[in-house]
Amino acid sequence: MLARTCAWSEINSGTRNLSGLATIAGLLADAFSVLPGSLSLVDGDEAENVGIDGGVTRLAHGQHLRLTVRPEAPVQMLLTGHMDTVYPAGHAFQSLTWRDANTLNGPGVADMKGGLSVMLEALRVVEDAGTPSLGYEVIINSDEETGSFSSARLIADAARGKHAALTYEPALPDGTLAGARGGTGNFSILVRGCAAHAGRNPEDGRNAIVAASEIALRLHEARSPRLSVNPARVDGGGPNNVVPDLAVLRVNFRPGDAGEIERARRLIADVTAAAATRHDVHVEVHGSFNRPPKPIDHAAARLFALVKDAGLTLDLNVAWRDTGGVCDGNNIAAAGVPVVDTMGVRGGAIHSSDEFLLVDSLTERAALSALTIKRIAEGALL
Ligand SMILES: [Zn+2]
């Protein structure tokens, strides 16, 4: 497991590094082909990007790995992970360093190449034990770190009809798992006004910056403890003597539940329509609530209890804590499938050059996963 983790972490696979992603996808396909079933690398959906010039372009993504094993078996699981990292090809953080005998520092060692290695080992052990009652799909996407826009449909499709899901994001250094997760939505609001001379004929202009500012203020005023609203950035405008005809406003929303998503959607529609009328500008809204909130419902609580129980058998105390962070577990939960999404390694400082993996967690977490999967295969959740 460690050798695989090192080999995979030495390859840069930042979400936008398409050649690095192609390399790692090939290595993962080779490694996961020790499992039965049919494996393929598939293209996801195209995602769009709104530039600071207001131009909307299509973003190319790496391929995603999909493995389907015994789709006719009575118990069906989904296992997911991601092959991309947050470190672009030009980032300074590219190599592995041992901090001490148990602490490996490197890009993606915890988030989540170590986790992918744990997932493979657990499935290999489960297959060796012989579990004909279990079928499963594995999805390893290439765009998790930028919000899974390309792979969301693939994950939702794979989640359909599954009894439970495990995702291999890292646990905290002490082994604590993520419980409930908040949701998030990112929007780019494009405002097009009309340019004019600021001194000669300002009345002929339609000020896009003013309209965008009003939208930002109105959205921000509507925030609540259940819905955080963060207008994060405004691009646009130009010289002082020109009424600006373009503004691009970026806003992040963090809804506490599905009802807040609905409220935010209505809010965006109302506020942008009002600003368009009042300032006589054209407003275009891009974006979505790509990560719905993940509450711990009854089915999720049963799955957490099962993981905890498997931990007890292995002398591990498995605990969990709610978090504001988001991942593909949010989307799997939104598809109605119970998920524990931090079944990967113990580690920390992810998304920074201090990212580390606690190496003794590889064996520990693979055992926890294998036992959890085995018990689910035996019908523990049916
Ligand atoms: Zn991750």
Side-chain angles (χ1 to χ4, degrees):
M1 277 186 281
L2 178 59
R4 276 198 303 251
T5 303
C6 292
W8 295 344
S9 299
E10 275 165 350
I11 294 161
N12 179 280
S13 59
T15 315
R16 299 261 75 81
N17 179 2
L18 299 186
S19 77
L21 286 169
T23 305
I24 195 86
L27 291 181
L28 289 169
D30 285 348
F32 278 75
S33 65
V34 302
L35 300 171
S38 68
L39 185 150
S40 54
L41 295 176
V42 297
D43 292 319
D45 292 330
E46 282 188 333
E48 64 175 25
N49 179 51
V50 180
I52 58 172
D53 60 354
V56 180
T57 51
R58 297 273 147 193
L59 276 181
H61 281 290
Q63 289 190 302
H64 313 297
L65 182 150
R66 182 174 201 169
L67 168 70
T68 307
V69 180
R70 292 182 294 275
E72 68 296 336
V75 179
Q76 290 291 326
M77 290 186 71
L78 171 65
L79 297 100
T80 78
H82 60 84
M83 65 180 91
D84 63 322
T85 70
V86 295
Y87 314 105
H91 197 280
F93 185 41
Q94 300 289 349
S95 56
L96 304 175
T97 310
W98 285 95
R99 288 282 159 83
D100 61 49
N102 192 39
T103 310
L104 179 63
N105 163 239
V109 287
D111 184 19
M112 60 154 64
K113 285 159 179 176
L116 297 177
S117 190
V118 164
M119 184 211 293
L120 174 56
E121 194 64 13
L123 288 172
R124 220 181 50 74
V125 167
V126 166
E127 289 293 344
D128 279 356
T131 43
S133 62
L134 175 72
Y136 55 91
E137 285 199 63
V138 172
I139 300 285
I140 302 177
N141 57 358
S142 62
D143 67 333
E144 195 275 343
E145 296 291 7
T146 52
S148 303
F149 291 100
S150 162
S151 56
R153 213 158 48 93
L154 181 68
I155 291 172
D157 182 51
R160 201 167 304 129
K162 300 297 190 286
H163 296 101
L166 301 175
T167 296
Y168 286 79
E169 293 290 346
L172 294 178
D174 69 358
T176 303
L177 308 178
R181 289 182 184 271
T184 183
N186 288 304
F187 289 81
S188 296
I189 299 171
L190 235 157
V191 182
R192 291 186 195 280
C194 182
H197 193 288
R200 196 181 289 247
N201 61 334
E203 67 284 354
D204 291 336
R206 300 290 178 267
N207 193 313
I209 295 276
V210 171
S213 305
E214 183 172 292
I215 293 169
L217 275 171
R218 295 287 164 272
L219 293 176
H220 190 243
E221 281 165 4
R223 73 195 185 280
S224 76
R226 302 289 299 151
L227 177 70
S228 80
V229 181
N230 185 41
R233 174 171 175 154
V234 183
D235 290 296
N240 275 355
N241 58 356
V242 177
V243 175
D245 64 351
L246 173 73
V248 183
L249 168 67
R250 320 277 179 174
V251 189
N252 174 252
F253 294 85
R254 304 254 167 185
D257 55 53
E260 289 300 320
I261 290 183
E262 268 324 297
R263 187 168 85 83
R265 283 203 179 110
R266 278 197 307 275
L267 179 69
I268 295 165
D270 293 350
V271 163
T272 53
T277 304
R278 191 160 119 82
H279 298 277
D280 193 19
V281 294
H282 180 77
V283 183
E284 223 175 273
V285 179
H286 295 263
S288 62
F289 286 94
N290 58 310
R291 303 285 197 206
K294 189 197 87 171
I296 303 265
D297 60 10
H298 176 69
R302 278 185 74 202
L303 180 58
F304 270 97
L306 191 149
V307 174
K308 187 176 181 63
D309 202 54
L312 284 177
T313 306
L314 298 165
D315 260 338
L316 290 173
N317 181 27
V318 175
W320 51 92
R321 191 160 77 212
D322 296 350
T323 171
V326 293
C327 72
D328 284 328
N330 289 70
N331 302 64
I332 294 167
V337 178
V339 56
V340 174
D341 57 28
T342 37
M343 293 298 285
V345 298
R346 283 184 286 111
I350 62 171
H351 297 195
S352 86
S353 302
D354 291 323
E355 175 173 358
F356 67 91
L357 152 70
L358 295 169
V359 175
D360 59 353
S361 70
L362 289 166
T363 309
E364 174 193 299
R365 296 285 139 166
L368 180 65
S369 260
L371 189 54
T372 298
I373 295 168
K374 178 172 174 287
R375 287 180 178 176
I376 293 172
E378 289 165 354
L381 291 175
L382 296 181

